[in-house]
Amino acid sequence: MAHVTGSREGRLRWFPVSKRRKSSETAPKTKVRDIFVARPFEGLADEPEWVALRELVPAASAPLTLKPEIVKEYGDRSVILSTVLPMAWPAMSRRDGKVLIGLQRHVQSGDVSRDLAVAILNALATEPGNTVSVPALPGEGLRLQDLLVDGSLEITMQDGFEYWLDVDQMQDATVKASLERANASIYPTVRMTAAKAAYWCRVAPDKSHIRWVLSEPEDRALDTLSRLSAAGELLLGEDTKFAGMFRAHGLLVPVWDIPGEPEGTDFEAALADFAKRYADTLAVDGPLDAAARRAKQGLIGRQLTLR
């Protein structure tokens, strides 16, 4: 897929990585083994939304609920999931006691779920207002699925990143200037209602995208899209184009180019119709026919993997 404006990689350029302090410790360090998990959010009720917030959405937040045993050990502190934090930090421990966890970050291991769990635990163990230290390679241990009371995410789409800060921090001129730069990186994005984990975004004055994170495993989703493509039913209506797909954390994300002038709500009905066609085709069993196999090869060639 040629056009990827608005991807996580592009957004993170707005948040430069701070230089790490060199450790003065001279004792040899134990080598941490990295573990790759292709589908890190599997098992969470809102797996597609976790993927969308990590890879597609510029500014959004959602409260997280910790399991009782975690609250008992670390105390009852509010934990908020954020698409991104200042300088792509993994976590913040605010002066008011709230903990913010950033999904989009520069440094990560092979298991995103483990990364986020460590960020949460280290932030909970950090005094309010202090900097949270998070290792690049956390090793084996608890994952998100072990820490959270699972359920649907209560997502709030944000117009700006003011929710990052305590009230008194907003009075700092340097902080305000940095916040203005971050806010300028937010491209218009709307959460669609016709399908779960589907988002409209304006990527240029004359072009918009609809991106939908499918909940089925990649192979099954790809076969379904291949059948739809072979039947000529892959578009969202006139003047739309199937741009390709992202592969993200074990799920597929089809992307459509749509005219830039209409808003996301104008495509709710078209997306609902496609979602029904997708669900009906998903129920089809058996091997792909020749036309669908040819369509599948074409779709594979229009994939872009997000890591």
Side-chain angles (χ1 to χ4, degrees), residues 12 15-18 20 50 54 64 79-93 99-109 112 114-124 126 131-138 144 164:
L12 290 186
F15 306 102
V17 181
S18 58
R20 295 181 179 274
W50 281 90
R54 169 144 174 111
L64 301 178
V79 179
I80 299 172
L81 179 70
S82 176
T83 49
V84 69
L85 294 177
M87 294 183 289
W89 289 336
M92 293 173 62
S93 178
V99 164
L100 273 67
I101 304 300
L103 267 173
Q104 301 165 15
R105 47 190 272 191
H106 288 290
V107 179
Q108 63 192 43
S109 73
V112 176
R114 173 67 179 142
D115 290 339
L116 295 170
V118 169
I120 291 173
L121 294 176
N122 285 22
L124 291 172
T126 300
T131 300
V132 180
S133 177
V134 178
L137 294 179
L144 278 177
W164 282 345

Side-chain angles (χ1 to χ4, degrees), residues 227-250:
R227 286 189 169 99
L228 289 169
S229 179
E233 297 184 346
L234 204 53
L235 301 183
L236 294 183
E238 295 183 4
D239 298 324
T240 69
K241 176 184 176 182
F242 184 77
M245 295 177 293
F246 294 125
R247 297 176 65 239
H249 307 293

Side-chain angles (χ1 to χ4, degrees), residues 227 279-286:
R227 286 189 169 99
D280 291 343
T281 307
L282 185 67
V284 176
D285 291 324

Side-chain angles (χ1 to χ4, degrees), residues 15-292:
F15 306 102
V17 181
S18 58
K19 295 181 180 178
R20 295 181 179 274
R21 296 180 180 177
K22 293 183 179 179
S23 174
S24 58
E25 297 178 0
T26 58
K29 295 182 178 180
T30 303
K31 186 175 182 179
V32 178
R33 176 172 170 263
D34 195 10
I35 299 172
F36 177 71
V37 178
R39 197 171 165 184
F41 303 112
E42 185 176 13
L44 294 173
D46 250 355
E47 180 187 8
E49 291 288 11
W50 281 90
V51 172
L53 295 180
R54 169 144 174 111
E55 301 294 347
L56 307 177
V57 180
S61 61
L64 301 178
T65 302
L66 300 174
K67 289 185 176 180
E69 57 268 29
I70 304 300
V71 173
K72 182 177 180 180
E73 182 173 355
Y74 290 91
D76 190 6
R77 295 174 66 180
S78 176
V79 179
I80 299 172
L81 179 70
S82 176
T83 49
V84 69
L85 294 177
M87 294 183 289
W89 289 336
M92 293 173 62
S93 178
R94 292 195 343 185
R95 296 174 191 170
D96 61 3
K98 289 183 179 179
V99 164
L100 273 67
I101 304 300
L103 267 173
Q104 301 165 15
R105 47 190 272 191
H106 288 290
V107 179
Q108 63 192 43
S109 73
D111 183 359
V112 176
S113 178
R114 173 67 179 142
D115 290 339
L116 295 170
V118 169
I120 291 173
L121 294 176
N122 285 22
L124 291 172
T126 300
E127 287 294 322
N130 288 352
T131 300
V132 180
S133 177
V134 178
L137 294 179
E140 298 182 12
L142 298 178
R143 307 173 72 243
L144 278 177
Q145 292 84 339
D146 302 311
L147 299 187
L148 302 181
V149 175
D150 194 19
S152 299
L153 292 173
E154 297 178 11
I155 297 171
T156 299
M157 301 297 291
Q158 302 285 357
D159 295 325
F161 291 114
E162 286 77 10
Y163 69 93
W164 282 345
L165 307 174
D166 292 304
V167 175
D168 57 345
Q169 290 178 297
M170 291 295 296
Q171 310 308 313
D172 186 289
T174 301
V175 170
K176 289 175 70 174
S178 177
L179 189 65
E180 289 175 1
R181 290 193 296 272
N183 285 345
S185 72
I186 300 174
Y187 50 87
T189 304
V190 174
R191 189 182 183 204
M192 306 289 284
T193 60
K196 197 175 186 64
Y199 290 82
W200 169 92
C201 61
R202 191 182 301 283
V203 296
D206 60 345
K207 181 184 288 188
S208 298
H209 282 167
I210 288 180
R211 303 163 174 175
W212 181 20
V213 184
L214 303 177
S215 59
E216 292 73 32
E218 280 188 41
D219 290 345
R220 190 176 177 204
L222 180 57
D223 282 353
T224 302
L225 294 174
S226 299
R227 286 189 169 99
L228 289 169
S229 179
E233 297 184 346
L234 204 53
L235 301 183
L236 294 183
E238 295 183 4
D239 298 324
T240 69
K241 176 184 176 182
F242 184 77
M245 295 177 293
F246 294 125
R247 297 176 65 239
H249 307 293
L251 300 181
L252 283 185
V253 188
V255 179
W256 291 269
D257 285 339
I258 59 177
E261 190 170 325
E263 298 295 327
T265 52
D266 295 331
F267 288 89
E268 289 284 7
L271 181 60
D273 288 343
F274 179 83
K276 184 179 185 307
R277 296 199 301 274
Y278 178 84
D280 291 343
T281 307
L282 185 67
V284 176
D285 291 324
L288 300 179
D289 61 21

